[in-house]
């Protein structure tokens, strides 16, 4: 018991008894020593229960216990979840935007592998597309794997690989729609060849997802490889699944588009000459590039009586299968008119204009036809080569030689189908021995991306820069002009414009 001085002691029993009938303050006041005011607002608070307010509180040397953390509120948990969802959606949006910018199947496959590897936490992988035709070969593209590595993987029996189980519908995982091997080398039933290839290539786990589109339920499968035993978390699986579903639809659209373009290109090539004729005194070469939608640019070279030669280039308005059909009809009509009256190019084009108005009243076409008499032709009579040409709204030909590189001056004329009656004068000129006459379509000029006057200047500069060693080969001249006039791979770029080059070198 504390030793409290008598003058500060309070009779506790009396105090407690008093508290039953009065307030605490009244009880203290009643039991206080006489002569001392007991006011709560007094400057010196009275002593209660042996505590002297004048004595300072002792200093604590021990640090106070840390406060017990309160459990997180339900709102904070919900905010964390929403933040995670927003982050996942942002990641998927960025990855799908990058995928949507791809314009080829090969580019989309590489982007799929890169994005999928980031989502599942892998470093390498490969994707297998099923054959476009039932009996065709499959397509395999790798990430971090060379051709030799992919060749080793293809030696594993298809049914032993995860992509084979997905494409063939074989059971391979307790989770539907995926095949995971967290520890390949530790699996007792692993195919021996698969074990050998995994050890050779240095991967210990794999995770595979199917590529299934609405139009192609078994488009292919994507497989990602881990260097160590591992498997993606539930969150990574979910993100990868969403991404691959979008990627499969994008791939299906690209493959369908490329298949359609290939068919259009095949039709266009079949409508053009399968080979160029051999005529004494002249050598020919042609280059043709079809746009993705199938344009109506065309060319032709046909032998005519008495050793003469007919050369033609043209372009039909529009694109697609209908333009290809119109181009085929126009080329067939020109061949017939050239055989009957090829000596007069103006008459040939007049008849062709009538055919176009009757069969294709909603279309127009530009055409240039040249009637050529090489030096060895019977009509030449020992003279040099002679060319008579007429054009309907077409660009003038270009003469390339050792002493000159210039455009042939042709008369200004309207395209076929634009006037009720087409007519324009012809032009005659004589190419010197060793010179090459270059006929082309407007697509070559338009692919440069320059205004027409600058495009003509670029084409002229490209023709003038042909090396002397290539001037005897019309094919080399055409290739040089394409490379020089259309830099940065413009001759093979995915452009809407067709390109036609027809080069004729006269001896």
């Amino acid at each position: 018991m504390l030793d409290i001085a008598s003058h500060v002691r309070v009779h506790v029993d009396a105090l407690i008894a008093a508290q039953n009938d009065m307030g605490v303050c009244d009880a203290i006041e009643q039991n206080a020593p006489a002569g001392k005011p007991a006011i709560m607002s007094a400057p010196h608070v009275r002593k209660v229960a042996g505590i002297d307010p004048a004595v300072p509180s002792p200093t604590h040397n021990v640090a106070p216990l840390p406060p017990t953390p309160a459990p997180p509120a339900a709102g904070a948990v919900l905010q964390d979840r929403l933040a995670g969802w927003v982050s996942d959606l942002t990641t998927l949006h960025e990855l799908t935007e990058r995928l949507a910018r791809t314009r080829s199947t090969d580019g989309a496959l590489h982007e799929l592998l890169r994005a999928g590897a980031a989502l599942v936490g892998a470093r390498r992988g490969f994707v297998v597309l099923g054959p476009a035709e039932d009996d065709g070969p499959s397509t395999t593209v790798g990430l971090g794997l060379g051709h030799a590595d992919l060749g080793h993987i293809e030696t594993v029996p298809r049914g032993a690989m995860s992509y084979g189980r997905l494409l063939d519908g074989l059971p391979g995982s307790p989770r539907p729609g995926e095949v995971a091997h967290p520890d390949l080398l530790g699996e007792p039933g692993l195919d021996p060849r698969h074990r050998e290839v995994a050890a050779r290539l240095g991967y210990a786990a794999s995770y595979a997802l199917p590529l299934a589109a609405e139009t192609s339920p078994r488009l292919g499968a994507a497989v990602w490889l881990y260097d160590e035993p591992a498997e993606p978390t539930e969150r990574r699986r979910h993100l990868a699944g969403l991404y691959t579903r979008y990627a499969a639809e994008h791939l299906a659209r690209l493959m369908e588009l490329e298949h359609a373009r290939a068919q259009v290109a095949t039709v266009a090539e079949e409508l053009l000459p399968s080979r160029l004729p051999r005529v004494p005194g002249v050598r020919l070469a042609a280059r043709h590039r079809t746009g993705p939608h199938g344009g109506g640019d065309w060319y032709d070279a046909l032998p005519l009586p008495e050793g003469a030669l007919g050369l033609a280039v043209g372009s039909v308005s529009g694109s697609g299968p209908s333009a290809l059909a119109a181009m085929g009809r126009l080329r067939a009509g020109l061949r017939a008119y050239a055989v009957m009256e090829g000596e007069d190019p103006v008459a040939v084009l007049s008849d062709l204009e009538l055919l176009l108005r009757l069969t294709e009243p909603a279309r127009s076409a530009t055409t240039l036809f040249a009637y050529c008499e090489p030096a060895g032709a019977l009509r030449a009579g020992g003279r040099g080569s002679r060319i008579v040409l007429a054009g309907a709204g077409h660009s003038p030909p270009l003469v390339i030689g050792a002493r000159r590189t210039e455009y042939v001056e042709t008369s200004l004329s309207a395209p076929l189908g634009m006037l009720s009656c087409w007519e324009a004068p012809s032009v005659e000129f004589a190419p010197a021995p060793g010179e090459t006459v270059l006929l082309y379509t407007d697509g070559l000029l338009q692919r440069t991306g320059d205004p027409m006057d600058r495009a003509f200047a670029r084409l002229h500069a490209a023709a003038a820069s042909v090396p002397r060693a290539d001037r005897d080969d019309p094919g080399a001249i055409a290739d040089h002009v394409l490379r020089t006039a259309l830099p940065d791979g413009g001759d093979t770029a995915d452009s809407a414009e067709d390109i036609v080059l027809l080069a004729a070198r006269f001896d």
Side-chain angles (χ1 to χ4, degrees), residues 128-146:
V128 178
L129 291 182
E133 305 292 340
D134 293 337
D135 56 348
S138 59
T139 303
T140 305
V141 176
L143 172 67
L145 298 171

Side-chain angles (χ1 to χ4, degrees), residues 78-256:
L78 182 58
Q79 286 183 352
D80 291 342
R81 290 183 179 179
L82 289 176
W85 293 339
V86 170
S87 176
D88 292 344
L89 290 176
T90 302
T91 301
L92 282 176
H93 175 73
E94 293 175 354
L95 294 178
T96 53
E97 282 290 316
R98 289 173 54 182
L99 181 65
R101 287 194 291 268
T102 57
R103 291 293 179 265
S104 65
T105 302
D106 189 67
L109 290 176
H110 282 90
E111 180 60 32
L112 164 64
L113 286 173
R114 285 192 294 267
L119 289 175
V120 303
R123 190 175 61 90
R124 296 179 293 173
F126 62 94
V127 61
V128 178
L129 291 182
E133 305 292 340
D134 293 337
D135 56 348
S138 59
T139 303
T140 305
V141 176
L143 172 67
L145 298 171
H147 292 290
D149 299 334
L150 295 176
H152 286 303
I153 291 175
E154 291 177 354
T155 61
V156 180
R158 180 185 175 99
M161 295 294 292
S162 53
Y163 73 86
R165 299 192 186 105
L166 291 173
L167 292 178
D168 299 336
L170 301 176
S173 175
R175 293 171 175 262
E178 66 177 36
V179 177
H181 293 285
D183 187 4
L184 269 173
L185 301 181
E187 293 184 6
L190 187 66
D191 182 83
R193 180 55 185 167
H194 192 182
R195 186 184 301 276
E196 179 183 352
V197 170
R200 177 189 292 269
L201 301 183
Y203 66 88
S206 66
Y207 180 69
L209 287 174
L211 298 176
E214 184 177 356
T215 56
S216 302
R218 293 182 181 176
L219 184 65
V223 184
W224 289 278
L225 307 176
Y226 298 87
D227 297 339
E228 301 292 338
E231 64 178 328
T233 62
E234 196 66 34
R235 173 174 167 271
R236 288 178 178 269
R237 291 173 190 259
H238 179 66
L239 292 178
L242 293 175
Y243 179 77
T244 52
R245 282 196 288 273
Y246 175 84
E249 296 293 342
H250 182 66
L251 279 170
R253 290 191 295 268
L254 287 178
M255 293 174 66
E256 183 178 359

Side-chain angles (χ1 to χ4, degrees), residues 290-420:
T290 304
H293 305 294
D297 288 14
W298 56 279
Y299 69 93
D300 203 355
L302 66 157
L304 297 176
E306 299 182 349
L309 175 69
L311 301 176
V313 292
S315 177
V316 178
S317 61
S319 61
S322 59
L324 292 176
M327 176 262 284
R329 288 190 289 268
L330 205 64
R331 173 176 171 260
L334 184 137
R335 291 178 69 90
Y337 300 140
V339 170
M340 293 186 296
E341 47 192 2
E343 303 165 352
D344 186 359
V346 174
V348 172
L349 294 188
S350 297
D351 294 340
L352 195 64
E353 194 269 343
L354 178 60
L355 175 67
L356 183 67
R357 282 196 295 114
L358 293 176
T359 59
E360 301 284 343
R363 291 189 185 275
S364 61
T366 65
T367 310
L368 187 145
F369 177 71
Y371 175 79
C372 308
E373 291 180 352
L378 295 179
R379 281 181 167 271
R383 303 186 309 269
S385 301
R386 184 178 74 97
I387 297 178
V388 181
L389 63 86
H394 206 82
S395 301
L398 188 60
V399 179
I400 305 171
R403 297 184 178 182
R404 63 170 177 169
T405 299
E406 61 186 20
Y407 290 102
V408 178
E409 293 186 4
T410 57
S411 59
L412 187 64
S413 60
L416 302 178
M418 299 293 289
L419 302 176
S420 58

